[in-house]
Amino acid sequence: MAVPIAVLDCDLLLYGRGHRTLDRFKLEDVTDEYLVSTYGFPRQFIYYLVDLLGATLSRPTQRSRAISPETQILAALGFYTSGSFQTRMGDAIGISQASMSRCVANVTEALVERASQFIHFPEDEATVQSLKDDFYGLAGMPGVLGVVDCTHVAIKAPNAEDLSYVNRKGLHSLNCLMVCDARGVLLSAETHWPGSLPDCTVLEQAALTSQFEAELRKDGWLLGDSSFLLRTWLMTPLHIPETPAEYRYNMAHSATHNIIERTFRTIRSRFRCLDGSKGTLQYSPEKSSHIILACCVLHNISLEHGLDVWSSPATGHMEQPEEEYEQMESVDSEACRIRQELLLTHFS
């Protein structure tokens, strides 16, 4: 005799067959303080995300009880900012932990779809000039279009045989290449690189390099640290400064480049799922990369909404692996000429 197999809906078991949408939690029923402490963001920011992502999150589903966009967004924000699928958080908004996981996946993909809308270099001349002016105001470094660096985010081991994600500290991670402006707004974010790749290799293979070399920007450059190779569009510090002008250049370079480190700290502090304090991201490298990118999108949106106070350093367990690199000297004579001209014109 055949035994019928029932497919159980966790939310159905918990809440019965009442409504077709799971709307037990209402934003208007709680205070702003509660929203910020629990989900990391104030009411108006959450309403903006509902307007932005609502149509995508309301796509037809085969499930008989769709979860509302508002609830999905709250669930995802709760995970991003706390770093764990907490049962109490699911209970607070009236969904199971399994549904929490689906919500995070849905919201993550919706944000990733909009990454290019919120993370990009400016194109019009006035905005580019404003970008350079902002950087110049920091430490007197001219022509800067952005500061670039890499940061590692811990992930679970994909499988025992794949060592490409093992970084120099023996931990599995993704090496993420990012560029930001003087306010910490991300202009580029590539979050998918295996942790075993050194920063210089990531940049060599990155879409960022193809973009800058194809456009041949002659009106400015990025700033990168000594783990990168000097290029016509990427100014690095001098390995052994000797003259007063070279010391002044290095000091201005360091003070300006520090913005990207502060940006990394802000992102990790705001999105605790990335800081390692709750453990590694328990997803495949591809899904982990999407979660990191989704947090980058939210970081930029939050800056657009005035939530731009620099955060204190994160206290997570995942530290940036120190690169053991040999100082690389550029063989690009044009890049050397540009840096020397910069030294003579602005720092002598």
Side-chain angles (χ1 to χ4, degrees), residues 140-157:
M141 180 70 74
V144 180
L145 299 170
V147 288
V148 59
D149 207 349
C150 289
T151 187
H152 287 253
V153 175
I155 63 172
K156 73 172 183 179

mmCIF file of all heavy atoms in Angstrom, residues 140-157:
data_model
loop_
_atom_site.group_PDB
_atom_site.id
_atom_site.type_symbol
_atom_site.label_atom_id
_atom_site.label_comp_id
_atom_site.label_asym_id
_atom_site.label_seq_id
_atom_site.Cartn_x
_atom_site.Cartn_y
_atom_site.Cartn_z
ATOM 1 N N GLY A 140 45.607 67.106 0.190
ATOM 2 C CA GLY A 140 46.333 67.791 -0.867
ATOM 3 C C GLY A 140 46.814 66.903 -1.999
ATOM 4 O O GLY A 140 47.704 67.297 -2.761
ATOM 5 N N MET A 141 46.239 65.713 -2.132
ATOM 6 C CA MET A 141 46.610 64.819 -3.242
ATOM 7 C C MET A 141 45.706 65.127 -4.434
ATOM 8 O O MET A 141 44.494 64.941 -4.362
ATOM 9 C CB MET A 141 46.456 63.360 -2.828
ATOM 10 C CG MET A 141 46.822 62.366 -3.932
ATOM 11 S SD MET A 141 48.569 62.287 -4.333
ATOM 12 C CE MET A 141 49.217 61.391 -2.922
ATOM 13 N N PRO A 142 46.271 65.603 -5.560
ATOM 14 C CA PRO A 142 45.446 66.007 -6.710
ATOM 15 C C PRO A 142 45.076 64.841 -7.618
ATOM 16 O O PRO A 142 45.730 63.794 -7.620
ATOM 17 C CB PRO A 142 46.361 66.982 -7.445
ATOM 18 C CG PRO A 142 47.738 66.451 -7.181
ATOM 19 C CD PRO A 142 47.699 65.888 -5.782
ATOM 20 N N GLY A 143 44.001 65.023 -8.374
ATOM 21 C CA GLY A 143 43.657 64.098 -9.452
ATOM 22 C C GLY A 143 43.122 62.748 -9.024
ATOM 23 O O GLY A 143 43.008 61.840 -9.855
ATOM 24 N N VAL A 144 42.746 62.590 -7.758
ATOM 25 C CA VAL A 144 42.331 61.269 -7.272
ATOM 26 C C VAL A 144 40.874 61.009 -7.626
ATOM 27 O O VAL A 144 39.984 61.785 -7.295
ATOM 28 C CB VAL A 144 42.533 61.147 -5.744
ATOM 29 C CG1 VAL A 144 42.102 59.760 -5.263
ATOM 30 C CG2 VAL A 144 43.986 61.416 -5.375
ATOM 31 N N LEU A 145 40.637 59.879 -8.291
ATOM 32 C CA LEU A 145 39.291 59.455 -8.678
ATOM 33 C C LEU A 145 38.720 58.409 -7.731
ATOM 34 O O LEU A 145 37.534 58.088 -7.800
ATOM 35 C CB LEU A 145 39.307 58.895 -10.096
ATOM 36 C CG LEU A 145 39.741 59.854 -11.199
ATOM 37 C CD1 LEU A 145 39.944 59.112 -12.510
ATOM 38 C CD2 LEU A 145 38.737 60.974 -11.372
ATOM 39 N N GLY A 146 39.556 57.860 -6.861
ATOM 40 C CA GLY A 146 39.107 56.843 -5.920
ATOM 41 C C GLY A 146 40.297 56.184 -5.253
ATOM 42 O O GLY A 146 41.426 56.277 -5.741
ATOM 43 N N VAL A 147 40.052 55.536 -4.112
ATOM 44 C CA VAL A 147 41.096 54.756 -3.439
ATOM 45 C C VAL A 147 40.687 53.290 -3.495
ATOM 46 O O VAL A 147 39.521 52.945 -3.312
ATOM 47 C CB VAL A 147 41.317 55.229 -1.992
ATOM 48 C CG1 VAL A 147 42.006 56.576 -1.981
ATOM 49 C CG2 VAL A 147 40.022 55.304 -1.210
ATOM 50 N N VAL A 148 41.660 52.421 -3.747
ATOM 51 C CA VAL A 148 41.383 51.010 -3.999
ATOM 52 C C VAL A 148 42.145 50.138 -3.016
ATOM 53 O O VAL A 148 43.275 50.450 -2.642
ATOM 54 C CB VAL A 148 41.749 50.631 -5.460
ATOM 55 C CG1 VAL A 148 43.220 50.895 -5.748
ATOM 56 C CG2 VAL A 148 41.393 49.178 -5.756
ATOM 57 N N ASP A 149 41.518 49.061 -2.593
ATOM 58 C CA ASP A 149 42.184 48.081 -1.734
ATOM 59 C C ASP A 149 41.347 46.812 -1.721
ATOM 60 O O ASP A 149 40.233 46.771 -2.255
ATOM 61 C CB ASP A 149 42.358 48.619 -0.317
ATOM 62 C CG ASP A 149 43.549 47.988 0.403
ATOM 63 O OD1 ASP A 149 44.108 46.995 -0.122
ATOM 64 O OD2 ASP A 149 43.930 48.475 1.482
ATOM 65 N N CYS A 150 41.900 45.773 -1.094
ATOM 66 C CA CYS A 150 41.199 44.497 -0.960
ATOM 67 C C CYS A 150 40.940 44.210 0.509
ATOM 68 O O CYS A 150 41.685 44.647 1.388
ATOM 69 C CB CYS A 150 42.030 43.359 -1.548
ATOM 70 S SG CYS A 150 42.162 43.364 -3.354
ATOM 71 N N THR A 151 39.878 43.466 0.782
ATOM 72 C CA THR A 151 39.574 42.996 2.127
ATOM 73 C C THR A 151 39.025 41.580 2.042
ATOM 74 O O THR A 151 38.349 41.225 1.063
ATOM 75 C CB THR A 151 38.564 43.935 2.828
ATOM 76 O OG1 THR A 151 38.420 43.539 4.187
ATOM 77 C CG2 THR A 151 37.202 43.894 2.157
ATOM 78 N N HIS A 152 39.324 40.773 3.041
ATOM 79 C CA HIS A 152 38.888 39.376 3.055
ATOM 80 C C HIS A 152 37.635 39.207 3.913
ATOM 81 O O HIS A 152 37.509 39.827 4.971
ATOM 82 C CB HIS A 152 39.989 38.467 3.600
ATOM 83 C CG HIS A 152 41.137 38.269 2.661
ATOM 84 N ND1 HIS A 152 41.351 37.090 1.987
ATOM 85 C CD2 HIS A 152 42.129 39.112 2.269
ATOM 86 C CE1 HIS A 152 42.432 37.209 1.224
ATOM 87 N NE2 HIS A 152 42.921 38.426 1.393
ATOM 88 N N VAL A 153 36.718 38.362 3.453
ATOM 89 C CA VAL A 153 35.530 37.994 4.219
ATOM 90 C C VAL A 153 35.520 36.473 4.357
ATOM 91 O O VAL A 153 35.621 35.749 3.351
ATOM 92 C CB VAL A 153 34.234 38.478 3.540
ATOM 93 C CG1 VAL A 153 33.007 37.976 4.300
ATOM 94 C CG2 VAL A 153 34.222 39.998 3.441
ATOM 95 N N ALA A 154 35.400 35.995 5.582
ATOM 96 C CA ALA A 154 35.468 34.557 5.847
ATOM 97 C C ALA A 154 34.232 33.833 5.328
ATOM 98 O O ALA A 154 33.110 34.304 5.492
ATOM 99 C CB ALA A 154 35.618 34.305 7.343
ATOM 100 N N ILE A 155 34.442 32.670 4.726
ATOM 101 C CA ILE A 155 33.359 31.815 4.250
ATOM 102 C C ILE A 155 33.644 30.381 4.704
ATOM 103 O O ILE A 155 34.759 30.051 5.105
ATOM 104 C CB ILE A 155 33.212 31.851 2.718
ATOM 105 C CG1 ILE A 155 34.482 31.296 2.042
ATOM 106 C CG2 ILE A 155 32.915 33.260 2.234
ATOM 107 C CD1 ILE A 155 34.360 31.107 0.537
ATOM 108 N N LYS A 156 32.619 29.531 4.640
ATOM 109 C CA LYS A 156 32.846 28.125 4.969
ATOM 110 C C LYS A 156 33.646 27.475 3.837
ATOM 111 O O LYS A 156 33.645 27.962 2.690
ATOM 112 C CB LYS A 156 31.522 27.402 5.169
ATOM 113 C CG LYS A 156 30.744 27.135 3.892
ATOM 114 C CD LYS A 156 29.537 26.242 4.155
ATOM 115 C CE LYS A 156 28.812 25.913 2.847
ATOM 116 N NZ LYS A 156 27.645 25.024 3.074
ATOM 117 N N ALA A 157 34.318 26.391 4.139
ATOM 118 C CA ALA A 157 35.106 25.683 3.134
ATOM 119 C C ALA A 157 34.174 25.109 2.069
ATOM 120 O O ALA A 157 33.243 24.371 2.402
ATOM 121 C CB ALA A 157 35.905 24.568 3.785
#
